């Protein structure tokens, strides 16, 4: 089980949903995992218990990844565990389904800060530690974008879709800029995954309502997304960078 000694993986927003599934899978691969959460300590503790019960290493760190100061502290805590090898920029939010004209500037900024600024801030911290040009040993960064980057999420949350479009551009730009510094950057673009996130949009049963639209006629599981993330984080994808992997049932 302990294939990768003292290599650290930071997974933002890993108390629940896709992040939690990813943290657990990376721990099984032998990474020391940093479980990050915003408010739900109980959920983060449950992920920690699950990992430790299977013999894995992890720590929980509360941090708002939209805050530069919190992000600095998050990575300082991660340094206590070993050498940063993997960053998964997973934390993300959406807000109530509504038309574009009803989205306030405050909401738009909040979505952008949590979904995009966080990704940018965490990437900067990771590069400082991973870059072979700065004495690091390289590493991988996986961004959790969304199929919404393609659909635009009309009449639901175009702000969220726009934030994911920005993540895709950030993925490409960072991948090309960091390719000769030992750092690969890729993204997954999940669609209709069974998590609590849909509750934030005001429709907890959204996956069930829309699953028929997908060619595969079902929603996806958090583990199915985590498999893609862990593959992109691993040496098995060594020739892949700047790629956007759709995990969305054909969408
Ligand atoms: P989720 O179940 O709602 O979990 C969100 C996670 O993010 C929680 O761990 C939450 O922490 C954390 N979080 C939220 N804001 C944060 C902040 N400011 N700082 C640190 N952590 C924060 O969501 P999910 O469905 O797993 O989504 C994970 C990612 O997948 C998101 O980027 C989302 O956009 C993307 N995605 C999801 C779907 C889908 O259908 N579910 C589809 C495409 C893309 P707390 O537990 O403390 O609240």
């Amino acid at each position: 089980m302990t294939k990768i000694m003292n290599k650290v993986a930071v997974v933002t927003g890993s108390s629940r949903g896709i992040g939690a599934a990813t943290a657990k899978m990376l721990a099984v691969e032998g990474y020391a995992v940093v479980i990050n959460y915003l408010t739900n300590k109980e959920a983060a503790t449950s992920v920690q218990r699950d990992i430790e019960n299977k013999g894995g290493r992890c720590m929980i760190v509360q941090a708002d990844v939209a805050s530069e100061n919190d992000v600095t502290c998050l990575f300082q805590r991660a340094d206590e565990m070993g050498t940063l090898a993997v960053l998964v920029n997973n934390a993300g939010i959406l807000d109530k389904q509504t038309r574009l004209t009803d989205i306030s500037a405050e909401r738009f900024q909040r979505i952008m800060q949590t979904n995009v600024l966080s990704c940018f801030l965490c990437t900067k911290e990771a590069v400082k530690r991973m870059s072979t040009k700065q004495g690091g040993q390289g590493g991988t960064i996986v961004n959790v974008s969304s199929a919404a980057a393609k659909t635009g999420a009309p009449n639901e949350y175009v702000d969220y879709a726009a934030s994911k479009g920005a993540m895709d551009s950030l993925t490409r730009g960072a991948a090309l800029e960091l390719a000769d510094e030992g750092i690969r950057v890729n993204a997954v673009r999940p669609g209709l995954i069974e998590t609590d996130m849909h509750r934030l949009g005001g429709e907890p049963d959204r996956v069930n309502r829309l699953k028929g639209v997908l060619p595969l006629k079902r929603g996806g599981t958090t583990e199915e997304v985590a498999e893609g993330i862990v593959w992109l984080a691993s040496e098995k994808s060594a020739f892949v960078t700047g790629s956007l992997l759709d995990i969305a049932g054909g969408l």
Side-chain angles (χ1 to χ4, degrees), residues 125-146:
E125 287 296 326
V127 171
K128 277 189 217 164
R129 291 160 172 83
M130 292 174 176
S131 171
T132 51
K133 287 190 179 165
Q134 296 179 49
Q137 296 172 22
T140 52
I141 299 174
V142 184
N143 296 329
V144 182
S145 173
S146 171

Side-chain angles (χ1 to χ4, degrees), residues 11-20 35-41 43-44 61-67 70 74 89-94 110 113-115 118 143-148 157 160 163-164 167 188-200 206-207 220 222 225 229 247:
V11 185
T12 68
S14 45
S15 46
R16 296 183 288 113
I18 292 167
I35 304 160
N36 159 245
Y37 72 102
L38 180 62
T39 55
N40 198 335
K41 187 172 186 188
V61 182
Q62 191 283 332
D64 178 354
V65 287
S67 149
D70 279 19
L74 170 66
N89 282 310
N90 167 77
I93 53 164
L94 44 70
R110 179 163 40 83
Q113 278 169 354
T114 303
N115 297 1
S118 64
N143 296 329
V144 182
S145 173
S146 171
Y157 14 71
Y160 172 79
S163 76
K164 296 302 182 176
M167 266 183 115
V188 292
R189 296 199 295 193
L192 286 181
I193 310 303
E194 298 277 8
T195 72
D196 274 354
M197 173 175 256
H198 306 288
R199 205 178 303 278
L200 290 177
R206 181 169 178 269
V207 175
T222 56
V225 181
I229 295 171
I247 307 179

Side-chain angles (χ1 to χ4, degrees), residues 9-12 18 22 26 31 85-91 119 122-123 126 130 139-145 164 167 170-171 174 183-190 225-234 237 240-245 247:
V10 171
V11 185
T12 68
I18 292 167
T22 303
L26 285 169
Y31 291 95
V86 172
L87 165 65
V88 182
N89 282 310
N90 167 77
C119 177
C122 290
T123 298
M130 292 174 176
T140 52
I141 299 174
V142 184
N143 296 329
V144 182
S145 173
K164 296 302 182 176
M167 266 183 115
L170 200 47
T171 303
I183 304 173
R184 292 185 299 110
V185 187
N186 291 289
V188 292
R189 296 199 295 193
V225 181
E227 288 283 2
I229 295 171
V230 171
W231 178 72
L232 286 171
S234 78
S237 63
V240 182
T241 198
S243 292
L244 311 173
L245 175 62
I247 307 179

Side-chain angles (χ1 to χ4, degrees), residues 18-219:
I18 292 167
T22 303
K24 290 176 194 174
M25 224 174 262
L26 285 169
V28 169
E29 290 298 311
Y31 291 95
V33 179
V34 176
I35 304 160
N36 159 245
Y37 72 102
L38 180 62
T39 55
N40 198 335
K41 187 172 186 188
E42 201 181 324
T45 305
S46 158
V47 177
Q48 178 183 38
R49 211 175 298 125
D50 188 284
I51 289 174
E52 288 178 351
N53 284 344
K54 293 187 174 115
R57 277 182 72 211
C58 61
M59 70 158 59
I60 299 178
V61 182
Q62 191 283 332
D64 178 354
V65 287
S67 149
E68 188 163 19
N69 194 42
D70 279 19
V71 168
T72 304
C73 295
L74 170 66
F75 282 82
Q76 282 169 351
R77 292 293 313 281
D79 291 341
E80 294 167 18
M81 293 200 97
T83 305
L84 184 70
V86 172
L87 165 65
V88 182
N89 282 310
N90 167 77
I93 53 164
L94 44 70
D95 207 330
K96 295 273 177 289
Q97 293 169 348
T98 190
R99 281 174 58 77
L100 177 154
T101 46
D102 292 325
I103 295 173
S104 66
E106 178 280 320
R107 165 172 158 169
F108 192 88
Q109 278 176 337
R110 179 163 40 83
I111 297 292
M112 286 292 169
Q113 278 169 354
T114 303
N115 297 1
V116 189
L117 181 66
S118 64
C119 177
F120 167 73
L121 293 173
C122 290
T123 298
K124 276 179 65 171
E125 287 296 326
V127 171
K128 277 189 217 164
R129 291 160 172 83
M130 292 174 176
S131 171
T132 51
K133 287 190 179 165
Q134 296 179 49
Q137 296 172 22
T140 52
I141 299 174
V142 184
N143 296 329
V144 182
S145 173
S146 171
K150 292 191 293 180
T151 67
N155 299 305
E156 290 194 313
Y157 14 71
V158 295
D159 49 351
Y160 172 79
S163 76
K164 296 302 182 176
M167 266 183 115
D168 288 358
S169 299
L170 200 47
T171 303
R172 284 292 299 166
L176 301 183
E177 200 170 305
L178 301 168
D180 66 351
E181 297 184 35
I183 304 173
R184 292 185 299 110
V185 187
N186 291 289
V188 292
R189 296 199 295 193
L192 286 181
I193 310 303
E194 298 277 8
T195 72
D196 274 354
M197 173 175 256
H198 306 288
R199 205 178 303 278
L200 290 177
E203 191 187 0
D205 205 31
R206 181 169 178 269
V207 175
N208 199 34
R209 175 175 65 86
L210 291 173
K211 64 186 181 191
V213 172
L214 300 183
L216 289 183
K217 305 288 180 214
R218 68 171 178 87

